[in-house]
Amino acid sequence: MKIMRLGEIGREQPAVMVPSAGGPGRYYSLLPLTQDVDGAFLASGGMGKIRHALEAGLLPELQGAETLRIGPPLARPGSVVGIGMNYAAHAAESGSPPPEVPVVFLKPSNTVAGPFDPSPVPPNSSRYDWEVELGIVIGREASYLESVSEAEDCIAGYVTANDLSEREYQLPGAAGQWTKGKSLPGSTPLGPWLVPADGIDGGNLRLRSWVNGEPRQDSKTSELIFDAATLVHHCSQYMRLEPGDVVLTGTPEGVALSGRFPYLQPGDVVEVEVVGLGRQRLELFRAGESG
């Protein structure tokens, strides 16, 4: 099952899409269960509730779902936690050795956007970059976890993510800070779907990205230096992860920072996909420009 939020910005309604063999999937409203896909719903066993309601035929079919905007598949997280250089090849193209412990940073939750929303390039940006990533959605509180296996139980599901980054703000000079380069409006598109952790193998998923139809990244989550559960366990030693929070697991090689590709410009189209979790398509425009 694929959990979604459909409708205009700020007015999304929760839904689930059930794929159909040989045909389009069928969409069902989750309003009989919850007003939104948020931390409280996930913490209350929301994934199990959806599955039970589908099996019992308790959810009304959502007519016209295909015509609605697809928003982020969960309501605004309390925290968005980023992981840097978590693929050895990406660390190398960034000019760094593979990290011996996870590199952790935070992104404001107001950077979250839908997977097909128009995507703003900052007004003074010249080094805007793409990063396809596997996103972890937290389903129960994770604080000072004792083991990686305990961390696995805290993962509700996975999403496709793009950690759009302004490298000029992030890296060079004494004032370069990851927070500056990772906090820009619309820079964390999520979705289109949230897939339950027990419905997909998060450790063996293909990640790809394209710019204007040209391939950029192509890797698998099996190449992560630190896997999903290890990241949740590690982060829990330094912060409290709450239901509905998102952890971005890092991006593989093939970004503009490598020097092999040009940086993004207004008018470009960026697509990212994690197979099984859906594909995004973003049309870029210059923020602050009218018409």
Side-chain angles (χ1 to χ4, degrees):
M1 62 185 186
K2 299 175 178 179
I3 298 159
M4 311 176 73
R5 295 170 67 249
L6 305 174
E8 296 304 310
I9 294 174
R11 301 179 62 185
E12 296 93 343
Q13 60 178 305
V16 59
M17 190 266 278
V18 179
S20 176
R26 303 184 72 173
Y27 296 81
Y28 299 90
S29 173
L30 293 180
L31 286 175
L33 301 179
T34 183
Q35 291 299 304
D36 212 341
V37 182
D38 54 16
F41 179 63
L42 296 174
S44 70
M47 295 298 195
K49 292 177 180 179
I50 295 172
R51 189 172 288 110
H52 171 75
L54 283 171
E55 293 172 352
L58 301 177
L59 299 178
E61 192 160 357
L62 187 58
Q63 302 296 330
E66 301 89 344
T67 67
L68 299 176
R69 167 187 171 268
I70 300 176
L74 69 159
R76 182 187 289 187
S79 295
V80 178
V81 182
I83 305 296
M85 299 185 291
N86 199 20
Y87 291 82
H90 175 60
E93 73 178 358
S94 303
S96 301
E100 296 182 2
V101 296
V103 176
V104 181
F105 60 91
L106 296 175
K107 298 191 67 157
S109 60
N110 64 8
T111 61
V112 170
F116 305 104
D117 291 344
S119 187
V121 178
N124 300 313
S125 170
S126 60
R127 300 180 66 195
Y128 206 46
D129 210 346
W130 60 90
E131 291 191 353
V132 61
E133 306 201 13
L134 173 70
I136 304 166
V137 178
I138 302 298
R140 64 176 66 174
E141 183 176 303
S143 180
Y144 300 120
L145 299 177
E146 295 183 359
S147 67
V148 172
S149 61
E150 189 179 0
E152 290 178 351
D153 294 334
C154 295
I155 299 175
Y158 299 101
V159 295
T160 297
N162 190 350
D163 177 21
L164 292 159
S165 307
E166 217 309 324
R167 306 300 190 187
E168 189 67 31
Y169 304 167
Q170 178 188 354
L171 297 172
Q177 297 178 21
W178 282 45
T179 297
K180 290 180 179 178
K182 301 280 190 174
S183 298
L184 300 160
S187 64
T188 316
L190 299 178
W193 314 310
L194 165 60
V195 176
D198 61 3
I200 197 165
D201 181 2
N204 189 30
L205 299 175
R206 188 180 183 186
L207 307 92
R208 294 185 291 176
S209 66
W210 301 260
V211 176
N212 300 324
E214 297 180 357
R216 291 293 187 260
Q217 296 169 281
D218 192 344
S219 188
K220 291 184 177 180
T221 57
S222 57
E223 298 177 15
L224 285 165
I225 298 172
F226 307 104
D227 66 17
T230 298
L231 292 173
V232 172
H233 174 262
H234 179 82
C235 290
S236 79
Q237 309 306 307
Y238 303 95
M239 64 186 74
R240 182 173 64 218
L241 297 174
E242 298 180 332
D245 287 351
V246 175
V247 179
L248 308 180
T249 58
T251 199
E253 67 173 322
V255 297
L257 181 63
S258 68
R260 293 187 287 134
F261 307 109
Y263 285 99
L264 296 172
Q265 301 293 328
D268 286 345
V269 174
V270 178
E271 296 172 274
V272 302
E273 177 185 36
V274 180
V275 175
L277 301 178
R279 184 163 172 163
Q280 303 180 2
R281 185 180 188 277
L282 307 173
E283 296 184 9
L284 274 60
F285 67 97
R286 180 73 72 181
E289 292 185 356
S290 59

